[in-house]
């Protein structure tokens, strides 16, 4: 049985049924009130259209409900729902009250057919009824006419309907019921609204016209099912991989499964959002994948590891992170997995200190340490449960995050962690979940991407001609011409920047001088505060900064951590927010390769903003030349590589049981 389902059942068995919250009861009462009033208002709607929408809502809900159950895996949260599109179409054609009945009837019929719990069924039906009703009222307030939809005249009303419906749905179903962060899932939500508008346009002419959308809807749903199936199969393969790693040595048998259980229990006790719980659990399940590259003899060695052996052992977290980074749906856990052997005081594997460690890594650190201390290893006997918890308490604030350690100890002793944490500590942990952020394109983006402006202008011009709107056609044509002119300017500037780069590459035979010349040439076109030439290790698990210019650059450990995870992404340019590296601005790294495509380093920049479009084009065009010019010449010592880490004796006092945990293999 998969770890998520197994742990979920155990956790559910240990807890009594939760009483509904006040917000849940309020939602149910309001939803039932909306439905009661809707029954009185439905007599005025067209009967044929109403019956067909009811049938469509029920069939689509039955069709989708088999895959509706919340996944216990960190896959595809941004999911398109056909039922929501049908509900939006019903609101436009029938009005808010009939639309609420259609939404509730579909959810109720499907829930009864599949035997869902009564409380959950009533809540979902009420939530969808409220969302449909609010969306319909917003449609009317914005000037929409129920039973009619004319584009472009009703575009604002349609947008108002979609925003109101999707916002209420997200609040009631995700925030109130599922305890998730508010996330309107703009991409899938926009698709649902668009398909709902298409359903309405077809149904207004004649309700049976909607039949032409059925094959498209089925194909779309089947593609979603195939994608989820593929992701689940990949996750199962990674889980099997983790089992193989655990079973290489008897002392680590089922280690990752136990760590996942500890993390899951702690996250649940802290009442984190379910999506965060799932991500944390799977980070624990897959945190030791990199040990597959560690010689099994090191895992079972009874004596202390020497410097070379420690170097091999301490690479495994980064290899785990690099493996996870290759899979998009588990990539968000990569950084936490990479840092699961760090310490709050910065004395861990890679020297990353507490403020730079993500919350997920603190969960992994304490859970991994506890399991390591309580199990027998070839080089030492395990501690008792209470002794290990005492060690965690003693090292809170140095090895472990104080609040996370306090909460973990409480959970292991059967105490509710919310009773031992201060409001500030509890807020710090719960507030670590990243809020949903929306970035809107600005004028600067259009200036740097003129092809988008040109394409958008062409579309607007064609729409204006199609709708007989002369002003729209003229505006679209002007935008298209402006975009083409800006694109021509960008191309000219890109040629100039590429020429300056080529001159810099031929300025010297010394790679350091070439690097400085490239930085000077770039600074004239793109203001950056720091630039670094990174030489890369052959094993791909680290490197060193051979040369740097500027000020306030990222710490080498943070820079290497980022590059390790992204080195094999296959992208021509790697970009990250400076926050990920502990600095302000935007970090950009260009992979440097030899003529045999072997990765030999990176040209990294830190700047307030992304490079202008013409600079980006010039850099990408010159990647091959940059790699050849900045590569370490054969026979020369070009740096490239971090020194072997010190042995354990130089890192810690062997008498400290918690610090000896660093020798966990």
């Amino acid at each position: 049985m998969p770890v998520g389902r197994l742990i979920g059942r155990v956790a559910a068995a240990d807890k009594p049924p939760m009483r509904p919250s006040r917000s849940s009861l309020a939602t149910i009462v309001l939803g039932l009130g909306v439905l009661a009033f809707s029954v009185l208002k439905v007599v005025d709607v067209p009967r044929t259209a109403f019956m067909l929408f009811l049938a469509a809502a029920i069939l689509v809900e039955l069709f989708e409900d088999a895959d509706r159950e919340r996944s216990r895996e960190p896959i595809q949260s941004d999911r398109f729902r056909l039922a929501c599109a049908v509900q939006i179409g019903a609101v436009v054609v029938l009005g808010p009250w009939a639309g609420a009945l259609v939404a509730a009837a579909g959810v109720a019929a499907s829930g009864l057919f599949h035997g869902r719990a009564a409380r959950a069924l009533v809540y979902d039906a009420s939530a969808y009824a409220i969302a449909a009703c609010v969306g319909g009222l917003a449609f009317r307030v914005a000037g929409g006419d129920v039973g009619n939809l004319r584009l472009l005249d009703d575009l604002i009303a349609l947008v108002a309907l979609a925003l109101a419906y999707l916002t209420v749905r997200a609040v009631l179903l995700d925030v109130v019921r599922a305890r998730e962060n508010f996330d309107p899932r703009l991409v899938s939500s926009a698709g649902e609204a668009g398909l709902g508008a298409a359903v309405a346009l077809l149904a207004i002419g004649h309700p049976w016209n909607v039949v032409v959308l059925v094959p498209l809807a089925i194909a779309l749903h089947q593609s979603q099912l195939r994608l989820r199936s593929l992701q689940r199969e990949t996750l199962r393969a990674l889980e099997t991989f983790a089992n193989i790693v655990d079973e290489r040595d008897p002392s680590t048998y089922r280690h990752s499964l136990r760590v996942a259980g500890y993390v899951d229990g702690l996250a649940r006790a802290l009442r984190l959002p379910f999506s965060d719980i799932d991500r944390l659990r799977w980070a624990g399940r897959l945190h030791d994948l990199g040990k597959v590259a560690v010689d099994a003899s090191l895992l079972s060695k009874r004596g202390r590891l020497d410097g070379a052996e420690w170097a091999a052992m301490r690479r495994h977290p980064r290899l785990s992170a690099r493996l996870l980074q290759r899979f998009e749906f588990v990539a968000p856990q990569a950084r936490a997995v990479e840092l699961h052997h760090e310490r709050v005081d910065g004395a861990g594997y890679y020297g990353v200190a507490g403020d730079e460690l993500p919350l997920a890594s603190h969960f992994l650190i304490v859970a991994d340490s506890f399991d390591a201390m309580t199990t027998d290893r070839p080089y030492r006997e395990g501690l008792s449960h209470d002794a290990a918890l005492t060690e965690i308490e003693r090292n809170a604030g140095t090895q472990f995050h104080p609040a996370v350690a306090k909460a973990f100890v409480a959970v292991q002793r059967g105490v509710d962690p919310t009773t031992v944490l201060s409001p500030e500590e509890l807020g710090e942990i719960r507030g670590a979940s990243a809020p949903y952020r929306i970035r809107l394109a600005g004028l600067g983006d259009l200036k740097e991407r003129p092809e988008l402006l040109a394409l958008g202008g062409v579309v607007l011009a064609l729409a204006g001609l199609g709708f007989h709107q002369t002003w729209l056609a003229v505006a679209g044509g002007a935008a298209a011409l402006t975009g083409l002119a800006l694109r021509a300017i960008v191309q000219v500037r890109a040629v100039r920047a590429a020429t300056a780069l080529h001159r810099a590459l031929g300025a010297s035979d010394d790679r350091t001088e070439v690097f400085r010349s490239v930085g000077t040439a770039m600074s004239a076109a793109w203001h950056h505060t720091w630039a670094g030439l990174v030489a890369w290790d052959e094993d791909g698990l680290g490197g060193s900064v051979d040369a740097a210019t500027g000020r306030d650059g990222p710490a080498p450990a943070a820079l290497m951590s980022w590059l390790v995870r992204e080195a094999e992404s296959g992208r021509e340019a790697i970009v990250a927010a400076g926050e990920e590296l502990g600095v302000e601005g935007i970090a950009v790294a260009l992979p440097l390769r030899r003529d045999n495509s072997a990765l030999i380093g990176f040209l990294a920049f830190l700047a307030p903003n992304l490079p202008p479009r013409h600079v980006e084009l010039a850099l990408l065009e010159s990647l091959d030349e940059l790699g050849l010019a900045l590569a370490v010449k054969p026979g020369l010592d070009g740096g490239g590589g971090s020194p072997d880490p010190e042995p354990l004796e130089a890192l810690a006092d062997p008498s400290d049981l918690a610090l000896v945990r660093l020798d966990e293999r």
Side-chain angles (χ1 to χ4, degrees):
M1 179 180 293
V3 60
R5 198 172 302 167
L6 175 62
I7 296 174
R9 288 187 179 181
V10 173
D14 291 341
K15 292 186 177 182
M18 295 181 61
R19 297 179 61 184
S21 64
R22 292 181 179 179
S23 54
S24 297
L25 290 175
T27 300
I28 292 174
V29 171
L30 179 59
L32 293 177
V34 168
L35 292 175
F37 189 75
S38 298
V39 172
L40 300 177
K41 301 287 289 185
V42 76
V43 294
D44 298 328
V45 302
R47 181 171 300 179
T48 301
F50 178 62
M51 294 302 174
L52 288 176
F53 268 108
L54 276 177
I58 293 172
L59 288 175
V60 171
E61 286 284 356
L62 290 173
F63 187 58
E64 288 191 318
D65 196 69
D67 197 45
R68 167 187 271 182
E69 195 67 28
R70 190 185 70 83
S71 174
R72 298 284 303 159
E73 300 145 348
I75 58 176
Q76 196 175 343
S77 60
D78 196 21
R79 191 178 143 219
F80 181 93
R81 292 206 67 224
L82 296 175
C84 294
V86 172
Q87 293 171 16
I88 291 174
V91 168
V92 174
V93 176
L94 304 174
W97 308 109
L101 282 176
V102 168
V107 174
S110 176
L112 290 172
F113 180 81
H114 290 283
R116 296 180 63 200
R119 190 174 70 191
L121 175 60
V122 173
Y123 182 89
D124 284 359
S126 299
Y128 276 108
I130 295 171
C133 182
V134 171
L137 294 175
F139 181 73
R140 282 182 172 177
V141 170
D145 182 16
V146 172
N148 293 284
L149 186 62
R150 299 180 303 277
L151 298 177
L152 299 166
D153 295 341
D154 292 329
L155 183 60
I156 294 178
L158 185 62
V159 171
L161 185 161
L163 289 176
Y165 172 86
L166 298 171
T167 300
V168 173
R169 183 188 68 175
V171 169
L172 295 181
L173 295 178
D174 295 341
V175 178
V176 175
R177 185 193 67 176
R179 300 203 325 261
E180 296 287 357
N181 294 315
F182 177 74
D183 183 356
R185 298 189 294 273
L186 288 182
V187 175
S188 61
S189 297
E192 292 166 356
L195 183 58
V199 169
L201 287 170
L202 290 171
I204 287 171
H206 192 286
W208 286 106
N209 291 342
V210 179
V211 173
V212 301
L213 292 178
V214 172
L216 175 62
I218 293 175
L220 179 61
H221 183 67
Q222 289 300 314
S223 67
Q224 288 190 106
L225 292 181
R226 283 195 293 270
L227 176 59
R228 291 174 66 84
S229 176
L230 179 61
Q231 290 177 328
R232 286 195 177 103
E233 290 173 4
T234 304
L235 202 55
R236 295 284 82 77
L238 290 173
E239 187 176 11
T240 301
F241 197 7
N243 291 337
I244 293 173
V245 171
D246 283 352
E247 293 170 8
R248 295 179 69 201
D249 185 81
S251 64
T252 59
Y253 178 66
R254 298 179 70 84
H255 166 69
S256 65
L257 187 60
R258 291 193 298 272
V259 170
Y262 293 140
V263 169
D264 183 90
L266 176 58
R268 286 176 179 275
L270 290 169
R271 299 180 181 88
L272 298 185
F274 284 124
S275 58
D276 287 352
I277 295 174
D278 295 340
R279 285 190 288 266
L280 286 166
R281 182 181 62 255
W282 278 99
R285 190 69 176 95
L286 305 174
H287 76 283
D288 268 347
L289 286 181
K291 282 187 178 179
V292 71
V294 177
D295 194 320
S297 63
L298 299 185
L299 301 176
S300 58
K301 184 176 179 179
R302 293 184 177 275
R304 291 196 176 281
L305 304 181
D306 60 28
E309 291 170 335
W310 257 110
M313 181 62 67
R314 292 171 72 183
R315 290 189 181 101
H316 85 263
R318 282 190 168 168
L319 181 56
S320 298
R322 195 172 72 175
L323 290 171
L324 293 186
Q325 193 69 31
R326 302 296 295 271
F327 303 94
E328 182 180 356
F329 54 95
V330 290
Q333 290 84 262
R335 179 164 170 75
V337 165
E338 179 194 3
L339 301 176
H340 77 271
H341 277 293
E342 298 310 298
R343 293 168 51 96
V344 172
D345 59 11
Y349 275 20
Y350 308 128
V352 182
D355 292 341
E356 301 174 9
L357 296 171
L359 175 70
S361 66
H362 291 300
F363 279 65
L364 293 179
I365 290 167
V366 69
D368 184 62
S369 300
F370 179 75
D371 187 69
M373 287 190 287
T374 54
T375 55
D376 292 333
R377 298 296 170 91
Y379 42 88
R380 58 155 174 78
E381 292 184 357
L383 301 178
S384 67
H385 183 273
D386 289 338
L389 293 179
T390 300
E391 284 298 313
I392 292 176
E393 289 177 319
R394 187 164 68 87
N395 289 276
T398 56
Q399 183 173 350
F400 307 109
H401 186 288
V404 174
K406 188 188 298 184
F408 182 85
V409 171
V411 171
Q412 293 302 313
R413 289 176 174 165
V415 178
D416 185 349
T418 60
T419 63
V420 301
L421 295 177
S422 67
E424 293 75 17
E425 291 173 326
L426 194 58
E428 178 187 1
I429 293 176
R430 290 179 175 172
S433 300
Y436 188 82
R437 297 178 181 178
I438 303 174
R439 182 181 181 275
L440 298 178
L443 294 178
D445 298 304
L446 294 179
K447 179 181 177 182
E448 297 300 333
R449 302 286 178 177
E451 60 273 11
L452 297 180
L453 181 60
L455 183 60
V458 170
V459 172
L460 285 177
L462 293 175
L465 294 174
F467 287 106
H468 305 289
Q469 300 289 332
T470 305
W471 67 270
L472 185 60
V474 171
L481 292 176
T482 302
L484 293 175
L486 289 175
R487 179 175 174 79
I489 294 173
V490 167
Q491 293 293 338
V492 171
R493 298 180 70 187
V495 170
R496 292 177 180 173
T499 302
L501 261 181
H502 292 155
R503 282 199 301 267
L505 293 175
S508 172
D509 291 332
D510 182 79
R511 59 192 294 267
T512 302
E513 290 301 321
V514 171
F515 161 71
R516 297 185 186 281
S517 298
V518 169
T520 301
M522 286 294 96
S523 62
W526 173 38
H527 172 63
H528 55 271
T529 58
W530 178 88
L533 177 60
V534 179
W536 205 237
D537 292 349
E538 291 184 2
D539 61 8
L541 297 179
S544 63
V545 179
D546 279 3
T549 60
R551 54 182 175 78
D552 299 330
L559 178 63
M560 299 310 159
S561 172
W562 172 52
L563 293 178
V564 163
R565 296 193 304 275
E566 300 289 348
E568 296 184 359
S569 64
R571 293 191 292 269
E572 293 181 315
I574 305 170
V575 180
E579 297 173 356
E580 186 172 341
L581 282 72
V583 292
E584 296 182 356
I586 302 292
V588 179
L590 302 172
L592 304 176
R593 301 183 183 275
R594 296 187 189 274
D595 50 6
N596 63 356
S597 298
L599 180 65
I600 51 91
F602 293 89
L603 184 60
F605 297 94
L606 186 65
N609 299 294
L610 287 171
R613 179 62 169 166
H614 67 282
V615 174
E616 177 187 344
L617 292 174
L619 286 170
L620 295 181
E621 180 186 336
S622 307
L623 270 183
D624 292 340
E625 292 86 347
L626 285 168
L628 294 176
L630 297 175
V632 178
K633 302 299 186 292
L636 297 179
D637 181 15
S642 302
D644 285 341
E646 299 178 33
L648 181 64
E649 291 82 353
L651 292 173
D653 179 359
S655 65
D656 190 326
L657 289 174
L659 293 181
V660 170
R661 201 276 313 167
L662 284 174
D663 197 23
E664 187 269 313
R665 308 166 199 167

